[in-house]
Amino acid sequence: MSLNTGQSLTVSGQDLTKNGSSSSRAPWEDARTVLKPSTPTRKPKPPKPENAITIAVSARVLFTMEKEQQIYEQQGMEDYIKYQVEHETEPFSPGPAFSFVKALEAVNAQLRELYPESEELFDVVLMTNNHANVGLRLINTINHHQLFIERFCMTGGNSPIGYLKAYHANLYLSADPIKVREALEEGIAAATMFTPEKMTEVSETQLRVAFDGDAVLFSDESERIYKAHGLDKFFEHEKAHENKPLDHGPLKCFLEALGKLQKKFYAKGQRMDCPIRTYLVTARSAASSGTRALKTLRSWGLEIDEALFLAGAPKGPMLEKIRPHIFFDDQMFHVEGAAEMGTVACHVPYGIAQRVTKRGIWDKETSSAPK
């Protein structure tokens, strides 16, 4: 490659003139500066937990560990650990949270380009009650899939929930509904994640997160009215209280965290090209009860990119069109319907619906296996 005499290139806002530069450095030294690789040769440092948006994921949702789970349940812990050690060079295949985590990393890459010194980034922590002897296989798997996960919490059979606040977790995803309920009781946004038989392809450059409204972003106040008095009373209640914001639900804080990062892109003129997109997918009717939901979000200073009011229609077809990386709902009926159509769906076990509906086949509280 040759550079013409007097050719000017710009590096980090500075003009460098070749073969006529007043710099005391040799021309090839300047060329090395200009042509240095755009991809860093070393992984970036993880942000400080107090500055990051921390997503805690269990090993069983990040990776597929069904065979290992069966060994644990049928043969016990010792055989389970022995098998993991013997196969520690064999990486696990991706689980339902894998695409979500990859999307978080894609957003981080764009944030680092816009704000090189900022630590307001996503940080993923692997939270598992696996024994530390399994750690090497997990590390090998993370490196195999080129994931950027530096923080681990391996509790050797004890519940990892007590560590979530120490890690400043903004969201906890697990395959164990008991652990999820424990996290919610600690005031941490949490959901039980399920693996659909088929998984819809999702965007590799834009993180898409879909939320139900009542008992997820909002409290279950209105849902209680509906369960106790029926649909007509529900509509009357919402009309009478449309200017009174709903109380917050368990995942409001996660939507706030997403909104905080979205605004960083908006500040750089990237509202329409923002790599984070949020959706409200609710069974509410727009004209009859949608006003209160939207006014509540506005009163919180939060925006939702798209709002879909379905008036009781199934959510699965709409989610198939949206193709979110993750969808949160408090009712297993909607979680199952979404999963049947390929959406990675999460159950938020919060509110009145948990006490009046029959448990779905996934909502079992009997497993104590490593998560």
Side-chain angles (χ1 to χ4, degrees):
M1 175 179 180
S2 62
L3 294 174
N4 295 330
T5 302
Q7 182 177 352
S8 178
L9 299 180
T10 302
V11 181
S12 300
Q14 297 179 348
D15 287 337
L16 300 177
T17 303
K18 305 301 161 195
N19 296 343
S21 170
S22 59
S23 170
S24 60
R25 295 188 301 171
W28 57 83
E29 292 178 344
D30 281 339
R32 275 203 297 265
T33 302
V34 173
L35 301 175
K36 66 182 180 180
S38 59
T39 302
T41 56
R42 292 187 300 174
K43 290 182 179 179
K45 290 175 61 177
K48 294 177 182 177
E50 60 268 25
N51 299 330
I53 295 173
T54 302
I55 311 298
V57 296
S58 75
R60 281 180 55 210
V61 298
L62 185 56
F63 304 119
T64 299
M65 303 176 68
E66 292 180 2
K67 182 176 182 179
E68 291 75 12
Q69 175 81 358
Q70 290 176 354
I71 292 172
Y72 173 83
E73 292 176 349
Q74 297 171 9
Q75 299 171 223
M77 178 63 81
E78 295 305 318
D79 284 352
Y80 171 83
I81 294 176
K82 180 181 177 182
Y83 179 87
Q84 295 280 38
V85 171
E86 290 174 348
H87 294 79
E88 65 186 22
T89 61
E90 301 174 14
F92 296 111
S93 58
F98 187 88
S99 294
F100 175 60
V101 169
K102 292 294 286 185
L104 299 179
E105 293 185 352
V107 173
N108 277 354
Q110 296 184 61
L111 281 168
R112 286 190 175 99
E113 289 182 5
L114 296 175
Y115 302 93
E117 303 303 320
S118 176
E119 288 193 335
E120 291 183 323
L121 303 162
F122 291 112
D123 189 26
V124 177
V125 178
L126 188 66
M127 304 285 293
T128 173
N129 61 359
N130 260 301
H131 195 280
N133 277 345
V134 183
L136 280 176
R137 189 176 186 193
L138 290 171
I139 292 171
N140 290 337
T141 300
I142 284 170
N143 289 332
H144 172 80
H145 291 294
Q146 298 182 326
L147 296 174
F148 181 53
I149 301 177
E150 299 288 1
R151 304 191 206 275
F152 272 41
C153 181
M154 308 187 71
T155 60
N158 293 325
S159 173
I161 301 305
Y163 292 99
L164 288 172
K165 286 188 176 179
Y167 277 96
H168 298 268
N170 296 89
L171 176 68
Y172 173 59
L173 300 173
S174 173
D176 185 346
I178 295 178
K179 299 293 188 299
V180 167
R181 286 188 172 90
E182 290 175 3
L184 289 172
E185 289 170 2
E186 293 293 320
I188 296 167
T192 310
M193 179 174 271
F194 302 104
T195 306
E197 291 186 7
K198 60 171 184 176
M199 280 193 272
T200 301
E201 289 187 9
V202 292
S203 172
E204 295 181 356
T205 57
Q206 184 181 62
L207 170 66
R208 299 176 186 174
V209 183
F211 300 89
D212 179 31
D214 295 291
V216 176
L217 292 179
F218 315 128
S219 73
D220 66 338
E221 168 200 325
S222 299
E223 200 161 316
R224 287 175 180 272
I225 299 294
Y226 168 68
K227 298 294 184 184
H229 304 290
L231 192 59
D232 289 341
K233 287 293 184 183
F234 166 79
F235 288 145
E236 290 177 15
H237 179 267
E238 294 305 284
K239 182 63 177 177
H241 295 82
E242 68 177 32
N243 293 317
K244 179 184 177 182
L246 289 153
D247 198 1
H248 68 84
L251 264 68
K252 177 208 172 189
C253 55
F254 182 51
L255 178 61
E256 283 180 323
L258 294 175
K260 182 179 179 181
L261 292 189
Q262 282 181 310
K263 288 177 181 177
K264 293 175 74 69
F265 288 100
Y266 300 167
K268 297 290 187 177
Q270 294 190 13
R271 175 177 284 273
M272 298 308 297
D273 298 317
C274 182
I276 303 172
R277 194 161 185 85
T278 56
Y279 303 79
L280 174 65
V281 184
T282 174
R284 283 175 176 254
S285 304
S288 304
S289 58
T291 299
R292 193 179 185 195
L294 295 178
K295 285 187 174 181
T296 295
L297 291 171
R298 181 180 294 174
S299 74
W300 291 344
L302 297 180
E303 297 182 24
I304 204 85
D305 291 304
E306 298 190 27
L308 288 78
F309 295 94
L310 303 183
K315 298 181 180 181
M318 302 305 294
L319 292 165
E320 186 181 33
K321 181 68 175 178
I322 294 170
R323 296 176 180 261
H325 293 85
I326 193 167
F327 166 61
F328 299 97
D329 203 291
D330 68 307
Q331 299 193 48
M332 285 300 301
F333 170 79
H334 293 303
V335 171
E336 291 171 347
E340 285 174 1
M341 303 196 75
T343 297
V344 173
C346 298
H347 181 230
V348 182
Y350 175 87
I352 187 68
Q354 312 312 310
R355 293 192 288 274
V356 298
T357 60
K358 295 181 180 179
R359 285 200 183 105
I361 57 173
W362 285 329
D363 192 15
K364 296 179 180 178
E365 300 186 10
T366 58
S367 174
S368 60
K371 304 294 183 288

